[in-house]
Short mmCIF file of all heavy atoms in Angstrom, two decimals:
data_model
loop_
_atom_site.label_atom_id
_atom_site.label_comp_id
_atom_site.label_asym_id
_atom_site.label_seq_id
_atom_site.Cartn_x
_atom_site.Cartn_y
_atom_site.Cartn_z
N GLY A 176 -15.48 21.20 143.43
CA GLY A 176 -14.86 20.48 144.54
C GLY A 176 -14.15 19.23 144.06
O GLY A 176 -13.06 18.86 144.54
N GLN A 177 -14.75 18.60 143.07
CA GLN A 177 -14.15 17.38 142.53
C GLN A 177 -12.87 17.69 141.77
O GLN A 177 -11.86 17.00 141.93
CB GLN A 177 -15.17 16.71 141.60
CG GLN A 177 -14.76 15.32 141.13
CD GLN A 177 -15.89 14.64 140.36
OE1 GLN A 177 -16.60 15.28 139.58
NE2 GLN A 177 -16.06 13.36 140.60
N VAL A 178 -12.91 18.74 140.96
CA VAL A 178 -11.74 19.09 140.15
C VAL A 178 -10.52 19.40 141.00
O VAL A 178 -9.41 18.94 140.73
CB VAL A 178 -12.08 20.29 139.23
CG1 VAL A 178 -10.81 20.96 138.71
CG2 VAL A 178 -12.94 19.81 138.06
N ILE A 179 -10.71 20.18 142.05
CA ILE A 179 -9.54 20.55 142.84
C ILE A 179 -9.02 19.37 143.66
O ILE A 179 -7.81 19.24 143.87
CB ILE A 179 -9.81 21.80 143.71
CG1 ILE A 179 -8.47 22.40 144.15
CG2 ILE A 179 -10.72 21.51 144.89
CD1 ILE A 179 -8.54 23.84 144.55
N THR A 180 -9.93 18.50 144.07
CA THR A 180 -9.48 17.31 144.81
C THR A 180 -8.72 16.36 143.88
O THR A 180 -7.68 15.80 144.24
CB THR A 180 -10.68 16.60 145.46
OG1 THR A 180 -11.45 17.56 146.18
CG2 THR A 180 -10.22 15.51 146.41
N ARG A 181 -9.24 16.23 142.67
CA ARG A 181 -8.52 15.41 141.67
C ARG A 181 -7.12 15.96 141.43
O ARG A 181 -6.17 15.21 141.24
CB ARG A 181 -9.27 15.39 140.34
CG ARG A 181 -10.41 14.42 140.29
CD ARG A 181 -11.06 14.51 138.91
NE ARG A 181 -12.23 13.67 138.81
CZ ARG A 181 -13.24 13.89 137.95
NH1 ARG A 181 -13.19 14.95 137.15
NH2 ARG A 181 -14.26 13.07 137.91
N TYR A 182 -7.05 17.27 141.40
CA TYR A 182 -5.74 17.92 141.21
C TYR A 182 -4.77 17.48 142.30
O TYR A 182 -3.62 17.14 142.04
CB TYR A 182 -5.92 19.44 141.20
CG TYR A 182 -4.63 20.21 141.33
CD1 TYR A 182 -3.82 20.48 140.22
CD2 TYR A 182 -4.21 20.68 142.58
CE1 TYR A 182 -2.63 21.18 140.36
CE2 TYR A 182 -3.03 21.39 142.72
CZ TYR A 182 -2.24 21.64 141.61
OH TYR A 182 -1.07 22.33 141.75
N LEU A 183 -5.25 17.51 143.55
CA LEU A 183 -4.40 17.09 144.67
C LEU A 183 -3.99 15.63 144.53
O LEU A 183 -2.82 15.28 144.72
CB LEU A 183 -5.14 17.30 146.01
CG LEU A 183 -5.34 18.76 146.45
CD1 LEU A 183 -6.22 18.83 147.69
CD2 LEU A 183 -4.00 19.44 146.71
N VAL A 184 -4.96 14.82 144.17
CA VAL A 184 -4.66 13.39 143.95
C VAL A 184 -3.61 13.25 142.86
O VAL A 184 -2.64 12.51 143.00
CB VAL A 184 -5.94 12.61 143.58
CG1 VAL A 184 -5.59 11.20 143.13
CG2 VAL A 184 -6.91 12.57 144.76
N GLY A 185 -3.79 14.00 141.79
CA GLY A 185 -2.85 13.96 140.68
C GLY A 185 -1.43 14.36 141.07
O GLY A 185 -0.44 13.91 140.49
N ILE A 191 -5.90 13.34 152.22
CA ILE A 191 -6.39 14.71 151.99
C ILE A 191 -7.59 15.04 152.87
O ILE A 191 -8.60 14.36 152.83
CB ILE A 191 -6.79 14.87 150.50
CG1 ILE A 191 -5.61 14.47 149.60
CG2 ILE A 191 -7.26 16.29 150.22
CD1 ILE A 191 -5.96 14.37 148.12
N GLY A 208 -18.17 16.73 146.09
CA GLY A 208 -17.21 16.63 145.00
C GLY A 208 -15.87 16.07 145.49
O GLY A 208 -15.24 15.23 144.83
N TYR A 209 -15.48 16.55 146.65
CA TYR A 209 -14.25 16.07 147.30
C TYR A 209 -14.33 14.57 147.54
O TYR A 209 -13.44 13.80 147.17
CB TYR A 209 -14.08 16.85 148.60
CG TYR A 209 -13.32 16.18 149.72
CD1 TYR A 209 -11.93 16.27 149.82
CD2 TYR A 209 -14.01 15.49 150.74
CE1 TYR A 209 -11.24 15.68 150.88
CE2 TYR A 209 -13.34 14.91 151.79
CZ TYR A 209 -11.95 14.99 151.87
OH TYR A 209 -11.28 14.42 152.91
N ALA A 212 -14.16 12.49 144.30
CA ALA A 212 -12.80 12.43 143.73
C ALA A 212 -11.93 11.45 144.52
O ALA A 212 -11.15 10.70 143.93
CB ALA A 212 -12.17 13.83 143.75
N LEU A 213 -12.09 11.47 145.82
CA LEU A 213 -11.26 10.56 146.63
C LEU A 213 -11.71 9.11 146.44
O LEU A 213 -10.89 8.20 146.38
CB LEU A 213 -11.34 10.94 148.12
CG LEU A 213 -10.64 12.25 148.49
CD1 LEU A 213 -10.58 12.41 149.99
CD2 LEU A 213 -9.23 12.33 147.90
N PHE A 254 -7.95 20.56 151.67
CA PHE A 254 -8.78 21.37 150.79
C PHE A 254 -9.70 22.19 151.69
O PHE A 254 -10.55 21.64 152.38
CB PHE A 254 -9.57 20.45 149.85
CG PHE A 254 -10.71 21.11 149.10
CD1 PHE A 254 -10.73 22.47 148.82
CD2 PHE A 254 -11.77 20.33 148.63
CE1 PHE A 254 -11.80 23.06 148.14
CE2 PHE A 254 -12.84 20.91 147.93
CZ PHE A 254 -12.85 22.26 147.70
#
Side-chain angles (χ1 to χ4, degrees):
Chain A
Q177 189 173 39
V178 162
I179 198 159
T180 310
R181 279 180 184 155
Y182 166 84
L183 289 173
V184 170
I191 306 171
Y209 153 87
L213 290 189
F254 166 26

